[in-house]
Amino acid sequence: MWTRYETIVFLIIAIIEVALFVWSDQVIQFPFTPVALIGTAVAFIIGFQSNSAYGRIWEARQIWGAIVNSSRTFGMMAQDFITNEHTKNPISEEELQNERKIVIHRHIAWLTALRYSMRQSKPWEYVMREHTNKEWAKKIYVPEFNEDFDATIKNYLTEDDFKYLSNKGNKQTAVLYLQSNHLRQLKERGLIWEFSFLELENVIEELFTHQGKSERIKNFPYPRQFASLMHYFTWIFLLILPLAMASQFGEIAVKISDKIGSCPDWIIWLSVPFSMAVMWVFHTMNRIGRVGENPFEGSANDVPISTIARGIEIDMRQNLGEPKEDIPAPFEVRNHTQM
Amino acid sequence: MWTRYETIVFLIIAIIEVALFVWSDQVIQFPFTPVALIGTAVAFIIGFQSNSAYGRIWEARQIWGAIVNSSRTFGMMAQDFITNEHTKNPISEEELQNERKIVIHRHIAWLTALRYSMRQSKPWEYVMREHTNKEWAKKIYVPEFNEDFDATIKNYLTEDDFKYLSNKGNKQTAVLYLQSNHLRQLKERGLIWEFSFLELENVIEELFTHQGKSERIKNFPYPRQFASLMHYFTWIFLLILPLAMASQFGEIAVKISDKIGSCPDWIIWLSVPFSMAVMWVFHTMNRIGRVGENPFEGSANDVPISTIARGIEIDMRQNLGEPKEDIPAPFEVRNHTQM
Amino acid sequence: MWTRYETIVFLIIAIIEVALFVWSDQVIQFPFTPVALIGTAVAFIIGFQSNSAYGRIWEARQIWGAIVNSSRTFGMMAQDFITNEHTKNPISEEELQNERKIVIHRHIAWLTALRYSMRQSKPWEYVMREHTNKEWAKKIYVPEFNEDFDATIKNYLTEDDFKYLSNKGNKQTAVLYLQSNHLRQLKERGLIWEFSFLELENVIEELFTHQGKSERIKNFPYPRQFASLMHYFTWIFLLILPLAMASQFGEIAVKISDKIGSCPDWIIWLSVPFSMAVMWVFHTMNRIGRVGENPFEGSANDVPISTIARGIEIDMRQNLGEPKEDIPAPFEVRNHTQM
Amino acid sequence: MWTRYETIVFLIIAIIEVALFVWSDQVIQFPFTPVALIGTAVAFIIGFQSNSAYGRIWEARQIWGAIVNSSRTFGMMAQDFITNEHTKNPISEEELQNERKIVIHRHIAWLTALRYSMRQSKPWEYVMREHTNKEWAKKIYVPEFNEDFDATIKNYLTEDDFKYLSNKGNKQTAVLYLQSNHLRQLKERGLIWEFSFLELENVIEELFTHQGKSERIKNFPYPRQFASLMHYFTWIFLLILPLAMASQFGEIAVKISDKIGSCPDWIIWLSVPFSMAVMWVFHTMNRIGRVGENPFEGSANDVPISTIARGIEIDMRQNLGEPKEDIPAPFEVRNHTQM
Amino acid sequence: MWTRYETIVFLIIAIIEVALFVWSDQVIQFPFTPVALIGTAVAFIIGFQSNSAYGRIWEARQIWGAIVNSSRTFGMMAQDFITNEHTKNPISEEELQNERKIVIHRHIAWLTALRYSMRQSKPWEYVMREHTNKEWAKKIYVPEFNEDFDATIKNYLTEDDFKYLSNKGNKQTAVLYLQSNHLRQLKERGLIWEFSFLELENVIEELFTHQGKSERIKNFPYPRQFASLMHYFTWIFLLILPLAMASQFGEIAVKISDKIGSCPDWIIWLSVPFSMAVMWVFHTMNRIGRVGENPFEGSANDVPISTIARGIEIDMRQNLGEPKEDIPAPFEVRNHTQM
């Protein structure tokens, strides 16, 4: 169904060209061999392109997988590194647990800032703007398009932290600067051993790395030329094809005439459905060859960053020992599509 | 034998189409060149796809190889880092050995939780649901489908640990949080030197990474469009092929008639076995192009995670010095298939 | 529009060859099958080459992404590692902040030196020298071509540092040597804890790595043979093509004559536009196959290193707490092109 | 010479099929276009497969290269980390040197255990079982097939160590556990500084990683389906080819008859040598596409692990200062083949 | 010019085969379709092979880029880690500077040993032995072929160090052992802080890694079968091609005869230049597909290791503050070729 629109376009093109062929008494036609050459070249280039596009979405998924891993490590260390062991001014277990909670919630704030920034629309993200996909978009639920950023992130930050962010360009970077600053204070109070502090700084370095990689994929599109010229190539092929296909069926008609004296007209018209089949194969190859080019724009085939971020949150807060009712539920899944 | 079902389908398709060709006095046919173009395009795309699928199973194998390596390192460190050297309250060698055993057994519990979670069925895992594979499934032994998870993991955990897991979503993560917590207590008692503790935390970070990568491959399928459209392309090709093949043999028949005046009928029917050979090549290419897409679902070509996990267990417990009779045997191999 | 020049060339070639074909009464022609073979081979090789070229620009973008990440980490550490905690001679918070500022501004000086060195013209960088691109170059703004290096870097360095650079070959390396030397002095004064100093040295090691990788891509071009021979292959193909295409339309003309007794002359001339379409496809494939080969030369498709470097500067100085009016604005974007 | 057997098989196939073609008065033949399609598909798939196979042998070589690097590092550290600097009970320089020697010889024992385990025969390693390769195998010298494991490894271990290994499944893992244990004892005696000990443990972790990667390549074969089906595809192609080639020469014969009235019989028979040439190309492509699949089985194209291990041994013992006469010579090279 | 020799060979082959075709009255010919199939297969395999070869030279360049980075880091650390800060027996700044100089010069000695060892000739390095390249070799300047090793390395080592190397197999390894030993002595004298010493040992570990990787590429050639069989395939194709091309022009001649009654003889001979064009394309593809296979042998397309090593030397000594006149100039560039 999602190619209904294209199907009609292909049908019209094929009918017009075959009609032209028939009407001109087979004068207007195109030899098939050059078409086969273009077709082979196009298939080859699509193969490489689709490899690169898949490479992008797979890298995006790896980055968010790495965010999961670093988050779990960070949660583990926050729990076992914030202790009274080295301090001269011990505080109560409750106060310790509170510090841990601030640190872990700030980490979730970072995740939140990151996922909202990944969902911002970029000029080269086209999938959601395409005709057939707009309808689809109404059927899925993208949290970042429906929930307010400020209201969401406020849940995970202190008043001061929230204010600090207000005039910063890159919120997620600023959150990590705050995190580091807080950890340093804990270290200076002796609540984190100095070498444990260095370990935690290393984990924050990792988080900077994951964040930067994710931003890189978001901000550096697959070269526009590759994508748009591929588009033109495919259409050149699609436009010439029916004329060449008609020519092939014209030859069959000649053979039949030779044999049985005449040939039914509809033989030529068989080239319409067969042209459409080949057109559909090439058009679809091109289309799916681009799946994954922009893996964060909010379409159904994206990396499900909202779901991943929420999963991390649930995991970290369960292991922090927060009561069940405080922990949010996973995001709703609509139409079997995780976002 | 495993393509018996397809063979029959191909035979029927080929016979019907060739019969149509003969019955219509060669009016219904299809030129071969466009078919060759589709065939080339399909072969090419299958090539790329099979490369990606192999990439997935190979990455899965690398991850489980890395789990082996980190486990051996962890075992070595557990033995040489848990000592009386820095403590003010030394304990007996027996008690030390007992702590080591708890730590190492908990590591095996983590392995167990991970392998069970890798075997959970996902909607996009299709191999075990296919017709011919169901019979096969009965002949192999997948431990995770036959042994109860709770009963199995209980062997490696203390009562308290086991209870802690009960209300956690991701069991394997929770086990590592427990591990870290226990190591921290040993450190606070002086049984692990503080810097050794940091090293052990780093190994746990590695384990989180391996676990997360394994979960990523499990949970992020190869894009469904690639797989299912490839399927359609192959079938479009298969359906058109016999008509085009018949057309080619039709031309041979004409040549023979030209030469010797007439042509035996069975020449045309030769296109049936030859069509089937080509169909079989393309169908099988597509089929094996998908091997490895979902490398943990429990089919015969998977990464043998049960065997690997059991191998690690045997290795670690042998080197811990446990008596031979306590250590389990490797899992049974049925039909030359390790799981 | 950007292929206007080529379009005219193709038109002339195609007209001359088809005219020759017509004038010689179809004696001068070329069979299409060998042309198709060359075309397929060329398409293959272009596919592989374009893969490598994309690999280069993508690696370049990864390196500059890594520079972003390491810069953020360095900024964070500069702020949280330069403290009075371990010193015997504490200094005022203002003085501390001043030391941090010197360190961070010197880091920006390193970025500046690096981006200027990346923009130096190399003999094998051809894009900006090509005909149609020269016009284009006037419409974009490359900061490094318009702003003086000395004047720019002076803003970020002390007098002494600036003088030190004057007789050094590789400025960016020298800046990092200065950075390390300064950090060591801070460590000897106790303003940086000794182990924090080691961490900072490790970050500088990372910066050396990123710098070296960026220089490697700049200085080691994609093998010239690959590029220039690809060029020849494509032109051999383009030059033979119209003669072969005319031959194909000649065959069509024969078929038409056979059928309707005569054939209009313009049928042959149809091979001109069709040749041009195929020529355009192959020429453009070759052209875009080279996009990204030299990702720093200052063309529109480059890695936008000026923008990235300025973005890092804004980020670091905002988080250092510098007043808004001191921080420079992002570079101007002309014609939707970031540099 | 190594394809003598295949050459005869191809000759027989080609002669039989061409004879059939001639005998049946050209009735039994096969159109070439479908054969070309299968050939193209097979070439594609072989290309991809050979890429993967080369990837395996190259990775194997990288791993053993990494073993060289880590061994050199380990040797360097063993020499400069085992000192009297931090001990309260200094020992003589001779005794120190003796401890270093034990450690380094145990490392060579690990290398020995690893290379013997890499040479164990696996069910899927087929090269050495093939007909023509068996003769060849007699001409090369594989040390692991000719020298006894126990006798060899005994040279590098103390009595106790050797006994410890006897009941362990994975000898190389057990050696590293022994190594770690010994280093820990040296640390507890103060002969290794505690932080140097951690560094050494990290090198052992690296060794576990290299060992595990090497075992992974040994134990996880390239999916059998890919290999065996590729085999079938190639043979389907090879079996059909001569019939199609004969058909092409049949057409030439017709053209000649048209022109000069008759056609010599041997024209058809020219298809025999030409078929053989094409068959040889495809068969050899498939054959070399599999080179490297199992890079440790002991064939001439393997990674030369015996030579590498011996090279490391010589290097380490030279730098330890052992007398020249104690150090073994490199393994003998027979028929220009390093093992 | 560099294919002058091949051009003549191709001309002779093409003329002989076309003459045979003409002389035999078109009886001796070859159908083009099987040739196209071989051509496609060969092009495809060359594509993959050239990808691997480029991968080798690119990896080699990455390794030497990494050597640059580690060298800069090592230089920086040598300067900022060798200090009086932790020693009980401080020495003068001059003496300190002298120790730094010894260490840095020894590093340059390592570079020197490495680049000489990379230039040693191997049996499988063929480029410099080929006919046309021998002339070329006289026009470039490879320092390692013109300057004596002992005389060169002596400049960077003390007498004792130089003597130590004399009986060592792998000079570069031995230099690093010396380096580590010297650093350890500095540490024991307190001139290097103990943890800084560990950092420096880690840099030496990196150097071992780079050296080992470089040696791996040098010593493990691209599998000989791939290269030599590719050669045979290309030549099979080249030898058959003119006969098939002549056959195609023969068909054109027939068409012309049909049309205008007779056909000029030179039409057939047109197949000679066109054959040569296609032969040149395929031969050159194969040739450049191998560029980079052996990236250190001393040909014009190699990784310029001499230039890189000299560049590092200049950089390090400038930053050490050595007087300008002591520092050597870059190696001479002849014929625009850096070595």
Side-chain angles (χ1 to χ4, degrees), chain A residues 53 97 114 168 181 194 219:
Chain A
Q97 187 68 7
L114 188 56
K168 294 294 176 293
N181 197 267
E194 289 189 307
N219 294 328

Side-chain angles (χ1 to χ4, degrees), chain C residues 24-35 37-38 40-42 44-45 48-49 51-53 56 59 164 167-170 172-182 184 187-189 194-195 197-199 201-202 204-206 208-213 215-217 219-227 229-230 232-233 236 240 243 247-248 250-251 254, chain E residues 2 32-33 35-37 39-41 43-44 46-48 50-51 54 57-58 61-62 65-66 68-77 79-83 85-86 93 100 193 195-196 199 203 206 237 241 245 248-249 252 255-256 259-260 264 266-267 270 274 277-278 280-282 284-285 288-289 291 300-304 315-316 318-320 324 336 338:
Chain C
S24 73
D25 218 1
Q26 307 203 1
V27 168
I28 296 173
Q29 57 167 291
F30 194 77
F32 200 87
T33 323
V35 172
L37 172 61
I38 302 185
T40 306
V42 166
F44 276 176
I45 303 290
F48 279 110
Q49 186 190 3
N51 231 24
S52 300
R56 279 175 74 86
E59 192 191 349
Y164 178 83
N167 68 341
K168 293 296 176 291
N170 187 313
Q172 50 274 34
T173 301
V175 172
L176 290 184
Y177 271 81
L178 285 173
Q179 191 73 288
S180 167
N181 198 267
H182 184 200
R184 168 189 152 198
K187 179 202 62 168
E188 291 180 355
R189 290 165 60 194
E194 289 189 307
F195 292 97
F197 170 69
L198 290 185
E199 287 289 317
E201 292 283 292
N202 284 335
I204 294 182
E205 181 171 5
E206 272 176 40
F208 270 131
T209 302
H210 304 327
Q211 167 193 328
K213 283 180 176 172
E215 289 170 355
R216 160 167 58 77
I217 288 190
N219 295 326
F220 192 68
Y222 189 73
R224 263 158 302 180
Q225 292 100 316
F226 289 13
L229 285 170
M230 210 54 244
Y232 297 149
F233 291 177
I236 286 179
I240 299 180
L243 227 42
S247 149
Q248 293 268 316
E251 280 179 30
V254 170
Chain E
W2 55 277
F32 201 87
T33 322
V35 172
L37 172 61
T40 305
F44 199 74
I46 287 179
F48 277 109
S50 114
N51 231 24
Y54 174 65
I57 199 171
W58 189 232
R61 187 62 186 77
Q62 285 179 313
V68 173
N69 306 341
S70 296
S71 297
R72 286 171 179 163
T73 302
F74 189 75
M76 174 186 80
M77 289 188 173
Q79 287 188 47
D80 291 321
F81 285 2
I82 302 181
T83 66
E85 204 187 358
H86 291 84
E93 178 58 32
R100 287 174 195 141
W193 181 41
F195 291 96
S196 299
E199 287 289 316
V203 178
E206 272 175 39
F237 173 77
L241 182 76
M245 190 67 91
Q248 292 269 315
F249 277 88
I252 289 176
K255 278 199 290 180
I256 295 171
K259 206 178 169 191
I260 58 173
W266 55 264
I267 286 293
L270 274 182
F274 284 117
V278 180
W280 183 79
V281 167
F282 273 82
T284 310
M285 276 203 317
I288 63 171
V291 162
N301 306 305
D302 279 12
V303 174
D315 225 35
M316 287 180 93
Q318 273 184 356
N319 280 293
L320 184 65
K324 216 170 172 173
H336 310 287
Q338 294 188 322

Side-chain angles (χ1 to χ4, degrees), chain B residues 80 85-86 206 274 301 319, chain D residues 30 180 187 194 205 225:
Chain B
D80 290 322
E85 205 187 356
H86 291 83
E206 271 175 40
F274 284 116
N301 305 304
N319 279 293
Chain D
F30 193 76
S180 167
K187 180 200 63 165
E194 290 189 308
E205 180 171 5
Q225 292 99 319

Side-chain angles (χ1 to χ4, degrees), chain B residues 29-224:
Chain B
Q29 57 168 291
F30 193 76
F32 200 87
T33 323
V35 172
L37 173 60
I38 302 186
T40 306
V42 166
F44 200 73
I45 303 290
I46 288 179
F48 276 109
Q49 187 191 2
S50 112
N51 231 24
S52 299
Y54 174 64
R56 279 174 73 87
I57 199 171
W58 189 233
E59 194 192 347
R61 188 60 187 78
Q62 285 180 313
I63 294 165
W64 279 80
I67 289 177
V68 172
N69 306 341
S70 297
S71 296
R72 285 172 179 164
T73 303
F74 188 76
M76 173 187 80
M77 289 187 172
Q79 287 188 49
D80 290 322
F81 284 3
I82 301 181
T83 66
N84 274 325
E85 205 187 356
H86 291 83
T87 191
K88 285 168 202 164
N89 312 300
I91 60 180
S92 72
E93 178 57 32
E94 221 166 286
E95 284 168 309
L96 274 178
Q97 188 68 6
N98 194 42
E99 295 289 350
R100 287 176 195 139
K101 191 176 163 185
I102 291 173
V103 165
I104 283 172
H105 279 213
R106 193 186 286 114
H107 181 81
I108 297 166
W110 170 75
L111 272 171
T112 306
L114 187 57
R115 69 182 163 91
Y116 273 88
S117 111
M118 287 300 105
R119 292 286 192 215
Q120 268 159 22
S121 178
K122 294 279 168 183
W124 52 81
E125 290 175 343
Y126 60 92
V127 170
M128 299 311 286
R129 276 191 288 270
E130 278 184 12
H131 188 72
T132 41
N133 287 320
K134 273 192 191 151
E135 295 172 35
W136 172 250
K138 287 177 202 144
K139 299 186 186 156
I140 56 178
Y141 178 74
V142 185
E144 291 78 15
F145 296 166
N146 293 280
E147 299 167 13
D148 181 53
F149 172 68
D150 278 346
T152 307
I153 205 168
K154 231 178 184 167
N155 298 326
Y156 304 110
L157 291 174
T158 61
E159 257 324 284
D160 284 356
D161 285 4
F162 184 69
K163 233 181 283 167
Y164 177 83
L165 288 190
S166 65
N167 67 339
K168 295 294 176 295
N170 186 314
K171 309 287 185 202
Q172 53 272 36
T173 301
V175 173
L176 289 184
Y177 271 81
L178 284 173
Q179 191 74 286
S180 168
N181 197 268
H182 184 200
L183 293 174
R184 169 189 152 198
Q185 286 167 18
L186 292 174
K187 179 200 63 166
E188 291 180 355
R189 289 166 60 194
L191 299 175
I192 297 177
W193 182 40
E194 290 189 307
F195 291 97
S196 297
F197 170 68
L198 290 186
E199 286 290 316
L200 285 164
E201 292 282 292
N202 284 334
V203 178
I204 294 182
E205 180 170 5
E206 271 175 40
L207 298 178
F208 270 132
T209 302
H210 303 328
Q211 168 193 328
K213 283 180 175 172
S214 194
E215 289 170 354
R216 159 165 61 75
I217 288 190
K218 177 77 182 178
N219 294 328
F220 191 68
Y222 190 73
R224 264 158 300 180

Side-chain angles (χ1 to χ4, degrees), chain C residues 230-249:
Chain C
M230 210 54 244
H231 195 71
Y232 297 149
F233 291 177
T234 307
W235 275 101
I236 286 179
F237 173 78
L238 295 184
L239 284 176
I240 299 180
L241 182 78
L243 227 42
M245 190 68 91
S247 149
Q248 293 268 316
F249 278 88

Side-chain angles (χ1 to χ4, degrees), chain D residues 54-211:
Chain D
Y54 174 65
R56 278 175 73 87
I57 198 171
W58 189 233
E59 194 191 348
R61 187 60 187 79
Q62 285 179 313
I63 293 164
W64 278 80
I67 288 177
V68 173
N69 306 341
S70 296
S71 297
R72 286 172 178 165
T73 303
F74 189 75
M76 174 187 80
M77 289 187 172
Q79 287 189 48
D80 290 322
F81 284 3
I82 301 181
T83 66
N84 274 324
E85 205 186 356
H86 291 84
T87 190
K88 285 167 201 165
N89 312 299
I91 61 178
S92 72
E93 179 57 33
E94 223 166 286
E95 285 169 308
L96 273 178
Q97 188 68 6
N98 194 41
E99 295 289 351
R100 287 175 195 140
K101 192 176 160 184
I102 291 172
V103 165
I104 282 171
H105 279 213
R106 193 185 286 114
H107 181 81
I108 297 166
W110 170 75
L111 272 171
T112 307
L114 188 56
R115 69 181 163 92
Y116 272 88
S117 110
M118 288 299 105
R119 292 286 192 217
Q120 268 158 23
S121 178
K122 293 280 167 182
W124 53 81
E125 290 174 344
Y126 59 92
V127 171
M128 298 311 286
R129 275 190 289 269
E130 278 184 12
H131 187 71
T132 41
N133 288 320
K134 272 191 192 153
E135 295 172 36
W136 173 249
K138 287 176 203 144
K139 297 185 186 156
I140 56 176
Y141 178 74
V142 185
E144 290 78 14
F145 296 166
N146 293 279
E147 298 167 15
D148 181 53
F149 172 67
D150 279 346
T152 307
I153 205 168
K154 231 178 184 166
N155 297 326
Y156 304 110
L157 291 175
T158 62
E159 262 319 288
D160 284 356
D161 284 4
F162 183 71
K163 233 181 285 167
Y164 178 83
L165 288 190
S166 64
N167 67 339
K168 294 296 176 292
N170 186 315
K171 308 287 185 201
Q172 52 272 36
T173 301
V175 172
L176 289 184
Y177 272 80
L178 284 173
Q179 191 74 286
S180 167
N181 198 268
H182 184 201
L183 293 175
R184 169 189 152 199
Q185 286 167 18
L186 291 174
K187 180 200 63 165
E188 291 181 354
R189 290 165 60 195
L191 299 175
I192 297 177
W193 182 40
E194 290 189 308
F195 292 97
S196 298
F197 170 68
L198 290 186
E199 287 291 316
L200 285 163
E201 292 282 293
N202 284 334
V203 178
I204 294 182
E205 180 171 5
E206 272 175 40
L207 298 178
F208 271 130
T209 303
H210 304 327
Q211 167 193 329

Side-chain angles (χ1 to χ4, degrees), chain A residues 32-278:
Chain A
F32 200 88
T33 323
V35 172
L37 173 61
I38 302 186
T40 307
V42 165
F44 199 73
I45 304 290
I46 287 178
F48 277 109
Q49 187 190 2
S50 113
N51 231 23
S52 300
Y54 174 64
R56 280 175 73 86
I57 200 171
W58 189 233
E59 193 192 348
R61 188 60 186 78
Q62 285 179 315
I63 294 164
W64 279 79
I67 288 177
V68 172
N69 306 341
S70 297
S71 296
R72 285 172 179 164
T73 303
F74 188 75
M76 173 187 79
M77 289 188 173
Q79 287 190 47
D80 290 322
F81 284 3
I82 303 182
T83 65
N84 274 324
E85 203 187 357
H86 291 83
T87 191
K88 286 168 200 162
N89 312 300
I91 59 178
S92 72
E93 178 57 33
E94 221 167 287
E95 284 168 310
L96 274 178
Q97 187 68 7
N98 193 40
E99 294 291 350
R100 287 175 195 140
K101 190 176 163 185
I102 291 173
V103 165
I104 282 172
H105 278 213
R106 193 186 286 113
H107 181 81
I108 297 166
W110 171 75
L111 272 172
T112 307
L114 188 56
R115 70 181 161 93
Y116 273 88
S117 110
M118 287 300 104
R119 291 287 192 214
Q120 270 160 22
S121 178
K122 293 279 167 184
W124 53 80
E125 290 175 344
Y126 58 91
V127 170
M128 298 311 287
R129 276 191 287 271
E130 277 184 13
H131 188 72
T132 40
N133 288 320
K134 272 191 192 151
E135 293 173 37
W136 171 251
K138 288 178 202 142
K139 297 186 187 156
I140 56 177
Y141 178 74
V142 185
E144 290 78 15
F145 296 167
N146 292 281
E147 298 167 14
D148 181 54
F149 172 68
D150 278 346
T152 307
I153 204 168
K154 232 179 183 166
N155 298 327
Y156 304 109
L157 291 174
T158 63
E159 256 325 283
D160 285 356
D161 283 6
F162 184 70
K163 233 182 282 165
Y164 177 83
L165 288 190
S166 65
N167 68 339
K168 294 294 176 293
N170 186 314
K171 308 288 185 202
Q172 52 273 36
T173 301
V175 172
L176 290 184
Y177 271 80
L178 285 173
Q179 191 73 288
S180 168
N181 197 267
H182 184 201
L183 294 174
R184 169 188 152 199
Q185 287 167 17
L186 292 174
K187 178 201 62 166
E188 291 180 356
R189 290 165 61 193
L191 300 174
I192 297 177
W193 183 40
E194 289 189 307
F195 291 97
S196 297
F197 170 69
L198 290 186
E199 286 291 316
L200 285 164
E201 292 282 291
N202 284 335
V203 178
I204 293 182
E205 181 170 5
E206 271 175 40
L207 298 177
F208 270 132
T209 302
H210 304 328
Q211 167 192 329
K213 283 181 176 172
S214 194
E215 289 170 355
R216 159 165 61 77
I217 288 190
K218 177 76 182 179
N219 294 328
F220 192 68
Y222 190 72
R224 263 158 301 179
Q225 291 100 317
F226 288 13
S228 60
L229 285 170
M230 209 54 243
H231 195 71
Y232 296 150
F233 290 178
T234 308
W235 275 101
I236 286 179
F237 173 77
L238 296 184
L239 284 177
I240 299 180
L241 182 78
L243 226 42
M245 190 68 92
S247 149
Q248 293 268 315
F249 277 88
E251 281 178 29
I252 289 177
V254 170
K255 280 198 287 179
I256 295 172
S257 298
D258 283 0
K259 205 175 170 195
I260 57 172
S262 73
C263 172
D265 264 9
W266 54 264
I267 286 293
I268 304 291
W269 289 100
L270 274 182
S271 58
V272 170
F274 284 117
S275 289
M276 283 176 66
V278 181

